[in-house]
Amino acid sequence: DQQVKQNSPSLSVQEGRISILNCDYTNSMFDYFLWYKKYPAEGPTFLISISSIKDKNEDGRFTVFLNKSAKHLSLHIVPSQPGDSAVYFCAASEVTSGTYKYIFGTGTRLKVLA
Amino acid sequence: DAMVIQNPRYQVTQFGKPVTLSCSQTLNHNVMYWYQQKSSQAPKLLFHYYDKDFNNEADTPDNFQSRRPNTSFCFLDIRSPGLGDAAMYLCATSAGAAPDTQYFGPGTRLTVL
């Protein structure tokens, strides 16, 4: 049973527009959420995170929103650029035996069209 | 630059022939993780080390073992690779303190013939 779900396997957006990537989770014990970006043949690169005590975190063109009651988070990219084309993973973590463990979604492939 | 390094980037082995993948880090992080990722799937945690304390996931097959001889290095040993073990293997590190962010290496693509 997947605890972290990214229901859209792919998304295409025109350059300059907003990209919205969604992620749902089931475990209310998750307290820290991260977004990673992955290019082909590379490891995931950390993009932005949000703690469960916040509902929004912004870093340049990237904003993550957290709706705890809905167990939903989203990543907004504004404006989208062709270099943003990649697979985006959301991940959720909880502390288990003193260590943060991460559960990943299956990813959303974003294609930004020039 | 501080980083997570994985060697080799591509590894080909034969069915049943033991293989070792390596990971090193210059971040001086306490925690090192190994993930398996198959095509179009989420990275799946195999195990992790907090310092020298080894933590195995319940569903990680016995065929997979790990060693962490020091803070900087961690190895993934696959004792008898099967065709189903072909995947990307990702190493990650984290400081182990809240808030905690994982940093990934580039991965090793394992092919089993």
Side-chain angles (χ1 to χ4, degrees):
Chain A
D1 186 32
Q2 270 187 284
Q3 295 188 69
V4 177
K5 296 180 184 178
Q6 293 177 257
N7 291 319
S8 298
S10 64
L11 174 69
S12 291
V13 172
Q14 207 66 36
E15 181 179 7
R17 301 282 202 161
I18 184 171
S19 295
I20 300 176
L21 296 98
N22 294 304
C23 180
D24 297 294
Y25 62 95
T26 57
N27 187 343
S28 58
M29 298 301 292
F30 289 145
D31 60 359
Y32 191 56
F33 303 89
L34 308 96
W35 283 94
Y36 285 86
K37 176 178 175 180
K38 186 179 184 303
Y39 291 118
E42 294 184 13
T45 303
F46 170 70
L47 198 55
I48 192 168
S49 63
I50 188 166
S51 164
S52 60
I53 62 173
K54 294 187 174 182
D55 55 18
K56 178 182 175 181
N57 188 27
E58 222 172 324
D59 184 2
R61 297 186 297 114
F62 302 91
T63 303
V64 56
F65 295 91
L66 175 62
N67 183 333
K68 283 183 65 179
S69 60
K71 295 192 181 69
H72 177 82
L73 65 154
S74 60
L75 174 68
H76 292 210
I77 306 173
V78 184
S80 302
Q81 299 173 355
D84 296 329
S85 297
V87 178
Y88 290 79
F89 291 94
C90 71
S93 77
E94 60 172 339
V95 177
T96 303
S97 303
T99 307
Y100 278 78
K101 287 176 60 173
Y102 298 79
I103 310 295
F104 283 80
T106 52
T108 295
R109 183 177 301 278
L110 173 66
K111 189 171 183 179
V112 180
L113 307 168
Chain B
D1 284 343
M3 53 180 24
V4 182
I5 301 161
Q6 289 188 246
N7 286 306
R9 294 291 308 275
Y10 300 91
Q11 176 74 56
V12 180
T13 190
Q14 290 182 328
F15 183 93
K17 185 173 181 182
V19 66
T20 295
L21 310 181
S22 95
C23 177
S24 63
Q25 55 133 340
T26 61
L27 297 159
N28 204 33
H29 279 169
N30 291 318
V31 192
M32 295 187 77
Y33 306 79
W34 280 104
Y35 289 86
Q36 179 193 64
Q37 186 183 21
K38 297 187 177 180
S39 181
S40 302
Q41 295 184 19
K44 178 180 178 299
L45 182 64
L46 296 173
F47 26 58
H48 71 276
Y49 275 93
Y50 194 113
D51 289 332
K52 294 183 179 181
D53 292 333
F54 178 70
N55 297 273
N56 200 30
E57 292 301 298
D59 57 354
T60 298
D62 293 338
N63 198 23
F64 292 85
Q65 304 285 318
S66 185
R67 296 171 282 136
R68 189 179 185 185
N70 54 53
T71 302
S72 301
F73 285 87
C74 196
F75 299 97
L76 169 62
D77 300 308
I78 308 176
R79 293 193 294 189
S80 181
L83 298 178
D85 297 327
M88 174 73 84
Y89 290 88
L90 296 163
C91 173
T93 74
S94 71
D100 210 22
T101 299
Q102 285 191 335
Y103 296 91
F104 283 83
T108 295
R109 168 76 62 189
L110 177 68
T111 300
V112 181
L113 300 177

